[in-house]
Amino acid sequence: MTTQQKVKVQLVRSPIGCKEDHRATVRGLGLRKLNSTSELQDTPAVRGMINKISYLVKVL
């Protein structure tokens, strides 16, 4: 069995004042408060979400 690759993201900037769809993307990644982290499967969809809000998150 192959194990799925994981990617860990951390919210480093507040989504206040950002576009509504960017805020929805932050919530879709499972991030709530500042400096919260989420470990997700490394899929093209998740990578696209990270690229969309790259100015708000940091990949660990």
Side-chain angles (χ1 to χ4, degrees), residues 8-12 26-27 29-39 56-58 60:
K8 197 170 187 181
V9 290
Q10 180 179 19
L11 186 63
V12 294
V26 169
R27 296 291 294 131
L29 288 174
L31 302 170
R32 286 180 172 256
K33 296 180 178 182
L34 211 55
N35 294 320
S36 64
T37 59
S38 183
E39 191 168 341
L56 296 175
V57 297
K58 177 172 65 172
L60 303 175

